[in-house]
Amino acid sequence: TDTHKPYDVCPYDRCPKLSRYSTSSAYFSREALFLLPVSPTFTNNMQSLTIRQQITPRPGILYSTEPRSLSFSPGGLFSFPLHATAYEDSDAATVRIPQGVKLNIRGVSLNVKEIAEFCKTASAQGVILKFSSEENGEMLVVWTYDKDRSGDCWETGLGIEVEGPRIIRLAAVVDRGFKTGSRLDVNVFGSVGKSKLNV
C-alpha cells in the first residue's frame, strides 16, 4: 500500500516559514515530509545573450563555413573562440545582448603552440582583437599580440562592459597579406550578468 497520503488540509499551511510552499504538494510519511518549493525567479522572463560567427566562403579558407553560435544566461561565464581571418567586417562575430542583461569581457588568450605555428607557417606578426558597437560601427583595436613585442599571449584586464539591449561585434584579425598557414583562434572570456539599467 502507498504510505504517502495527501492531507485534505495541510497542517503547515498557516506556518509563515512555509507559506511559500504549495500546500497541495505536501505529503507525510514515516520517512519524511515532502514539499515542493516555488521555483527561483532570477532568470524568469530574461532572455539569453547569444554570440554567432560565420566565416564567409572564399578560396583557400581554413575554417568551416557553417555558423557557430552559443547562448549564455545571466549569472554564467562567457567564453568563445573567435576564428581569426583577414576580413574583419564579413567574418566578425555578432553578439546580441537583450534588455536586462550585461556582458563583461574580461580576458583574451591564445594557445601558445597554435600562435607559434600560425606565425611560422603564415609569415605573420600576430593577431588583433577588434570591437564595434551600435553607437560606433568602426572596428577598433582592443588588444594586439605581436610575436616580437608581446611578452604574453593573454590579457586579463580588458574591462569591457556592455548593457543591453545592444548588438556588438568582435573580430580576430590578421594581416590581409599573410600566406595560407594554419588555423588560429582568439579565445575571449568574461561573464554575463543582470543589467543595472533594468528597472
Side-chain angles (χ1 to χ4, degrees):
T1 60
D2 185 7
T3 60
H4 298 74
K5 297 180 179 180
Y7 279 98
D8 291 332
V9 177
C10 177
Y12 300 92
D13 60 359
R14 290 187 176 87
C15 177
K17 293 183 179 180
L18 297 177
S19 60
R20 67 188 182 93
Y21 292 88
S22 171
T23 57
S24 62
S25 301
Y27 291 84
F28 181 76
S29 71
R30 281 174 287 183
E31 292 83 10
L33 176 69
F34 296 91
L35 297 171
L36 300 180
V38 176
S39 299
T41 59
F42 177 74
T43 57
N44 281 2
N45 302 320
M46 190 171 290
Q47 298 179 355
S48 296
L49 175 151
T50 60
I51 180 171
R52 182 180 187 273
Q53 184 183 30
Q54 184 172 16
I55 304 300
T56 303
R58 60 179 64 92
I61 194 168
L62 300 173
Y63 308 100
S64 168
T65 57
E66 293 297 317
R68 299 180 304 123
S69 64
L70 290 175
S71 297
F72 301 89
S73 299
L77 297 177
F78 172 84
S79 62
F80 192 82
L82 292 169
H83 289 339
T85 77
Y87 304 90
E88 61 187 57
D89 290 322
S90 59
D91 293 344
T94 300
V95 185
R96 298 182 181 276
I97 309 169
Q99 183 175 4
V101 176
K102 179 172 69 174
L103 171 63
N104 302 290
I105 301 177
R106 303 298 189 193
V108 59
S109 70
L110 301 169
N111 181 289
V112 176
K113 292 183 178 179
E114 191 174 78
I115 185 62
E117 181 67 17
F118 173 81
C119 290
K120 178 181 178 181
T121 59
S123 299
Q125 278 296 113
V127 63
I128 297 172
L129 175 65
K130 290 191 172 186
F131 169 97
S132 75
S133 64
E134 292 179 279
E135 291 78 8
N136 184 358
E138 183 179 355
M139 298 295 288
L140 302 178
V141 176
V142 175
W143 178 75
T144 300
Y145 173 80
D146 186 294
K147 67 177 182 179
D148 297 326
R149 299 180 180 180
S150 300
D152 299 313
C153 58
W154 65 83
E155 173 61 54
T156 58
L158 294 182
I160 300 174
E161 297 185 357
V162 186
E163 301 196 17
R166 288 286 190 282
I167 296 176
I168 66 171
R169 295 192 302 156
L170 295 170
V173 186
V174 294
D175 184 0
R176 185 166 293 190
F178 80 95
K179 301 177 182 179
T180 300
S182 58
R183 296 169 40 141
L184 176 65
D185 285 345
V186 175
N187 306 306
V188 182
F189 300 94
S191 62
V192 180
K194 189 176 181 181
S195 171
K196 296 180 181 179
L197 299 179
N198 186 35
V199 294

